[in-house]
């Protein structure tokens, strides 16, 4: 498949330095800026979620503690009720542990790799872009001075060579930047999708484990229901 079909910059086209190619580079620059903004927003939302999750875990732990305390307050010494309440507290605690782990996985599986991308490749492209702008400005200013020279002026050949060198430096930097932009474009198709796929599997595992824990407790729930019915008729 061609670079165009893959949605990537064709590095060979940078040699011509055409307005069309420059426009394509600008689109990738806009993508990089949008990606950076998106990562920052996701990172902020994830931190807020972690804080809320920690608070929820604390409240849930308090609920479990209260249930455990209630299970120990039976004046008639009803061992069946005491045991079922204690078992129920254990189930709630287990489900909450799994939920907290699942919440942390968002940060570990998705957000952290993207933050590393932002600090690494995205920062690299910003630096490369600034260098390319400087080299482009130098090349265009030298070219403008050369175009203002008369063909009979001395040192013209040397100035032409200097312009060619300036253009070569600019085009080489543009190619390096284009390679970085292509790597960024691949992130959406690879790292980002892999991260969210792993997160979905983590979500599935959490809900499956929670269901399994509650299903295992179902016989005890039925037993407790039967016990309550017997107590009502005494």
């Amino acid at each position: 498949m061609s670079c165009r079909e893959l949605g990537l910059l064709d590095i060979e086209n940078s040699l011509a330095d055409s307005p069309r190619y420059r426009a394509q580079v600008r689109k990738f620059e806009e993508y990089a800026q949008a990606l950076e903004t998106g990562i920052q927003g996701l990172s902020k939302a994830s931190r807020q979620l972690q804080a809320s999750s920690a608070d929820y875990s604390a409240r849930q732990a308090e609920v479990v503690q209260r249930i455990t305390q209630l299970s120990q307050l039976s004046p008639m010494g009803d061992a069946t009720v005491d045991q079922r309440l204690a078992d129920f507290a254990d189930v709630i605690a287990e489900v909450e542990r799994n939920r907290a782990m699942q919440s942390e996985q968002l940060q570990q599986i998705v957000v952290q790799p993207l933050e590393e991308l932002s600090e690494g490749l995205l920062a690299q492209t910003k630096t490369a872009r600034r260098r390319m702008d400087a080299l482009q400005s130098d090349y265009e200013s030298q070219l403008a001075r050369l175009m203002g020279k008369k063909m009979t002026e001395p040192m013209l050949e040397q100035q032409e060579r200097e312009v060619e060198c300036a253009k070569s430096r600019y085009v080489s930097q543009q190619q390096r930047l284009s390679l970085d932009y292509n790597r960024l474009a691949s992130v959406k198709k690879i790292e980002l999708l892999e991260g969210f796929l792993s997160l979905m599997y983590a979500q599935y595992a959490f809900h499956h484990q929670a269901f399994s824990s509650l299903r295992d407790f179902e016989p005890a729930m039925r037993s407790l229901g039967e016990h309550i019915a017997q107590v009502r008729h005494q």
Side-chain angles (χ1 to χ4, degrees), residues 84 87 91 94 208-222:
R84 293 298 174 262
D87 293 343
V91 171
E94 181 181 357
H208 180 76
Q209 182 61 41
F211 171 76
S212 179
S213 298
L214 292 170
R215 183 181 58 187
D216 291 343
F217 188 63
E218 185 179 4
M221 293 166 60
R222 288 199 302 268

Side-chain angles (χ1 to χ4, degrees), residues 5 9 37 44 68 112 128-129 160 169 195 202 207-208 230:
E5 291 173 327
L9 289 167
T37 301
K44 180 180 178 181
T68 302
Q112 186 174 334
R129 177 69 199 196
E160 288 177 343
R169 290 192 295 269
H207 289 288
H208 180 76
Q230 292 175 0

Side-chain angles (χ1 to χ4, degrees), residues 84-193:
R84 293 298 174 262
L85 285 174
D87 293 343
F88 182 57
D90 290 341
V91 171
I92 292 179
E94 181 181 357
V95 171
E96 174 53 25
R97 281 194 298 270
N98 290 327
R99 187 209 62 79
M101 289 175 58
Q102 180 270 331
S103 178
E104 292 173 358
Q105 285 176 328
L106 169 64
Q107 179 68 26
Q108 297 170 354
I109 296 175
V110 177
V111 179
Q112 186 174 334
L114 290 177
E115 288 176 337
E116 293 173 355
L117 171 72
S118 181
E119 296 170 358
L121 184 55
L122 271 170
Q124 177 180 316
T125 58
K126 291 170 70 175
T127 301
R129 177 69 199 196
R130 288 193 295 269
R131 175 164 175 75
M132 191 195 76
D133 289 341
L135 291 173
Q136 179 182 355
S137 177
D138 178 59
Y139 160 60
E140 291 178 348
S141 63
Q142 288 195 43
L143 179 61
R145 288 196 298 270
L146 178 64
M147 297 298 291
K149 298 285 186 181
K150 295 181 180 179
M151 297 297 295
T152 57
E153 289 190 25
M155 308 295 290
L156 186 63
E157 185 176 344
Q158 179 179 345
Q159 289 180 339
E160 288 177 343
R161 287 196 298 269
E162 290 175 354
V163 169
E164 285 299 318
C165 288
K167 180 180 180 180
S168 178
R169 290 192 295 269
Y170 159 60
V171 171
S172 295
Q173 182 62 27
Q174 187 181 62
Q175 289 177 333
R176 284 191 287 269
L177 179 62
S178 297
L179 287 172
D180 287 341
Y181 281 152
N182 281 347
R183 289 175 61 194
L184 275 179
S186 300
V187 166
K188 183 177 180 181
K189 301 173 183 177
I190 303 174
E191 284 88 347
L192 190 59
L193 292 179

Side-chain angles (χ1 to χ4, degrees), residues 30-40 117 122 184 187 192:
E30 292 170 358
Y31 165 74
Q33 293 172 345
L35 181 62
E36 182 178 29
T37 301
I39 291 174
Q40 291 172 348
L117 171 72
L122 271 170
L184 275 179
V187 166
L192 190 59

Side-chain angles (χ1 to χ4, degrees), residues 65-78:
Q65 181 183 11
R66 300 296 185 185
I67 293 175
T68 302
Q69 290 174 349
L70 286 173
S71 71
Q72 299 169 353
L73 294 178
S74 175
M76 302 300 293
D78 193 330

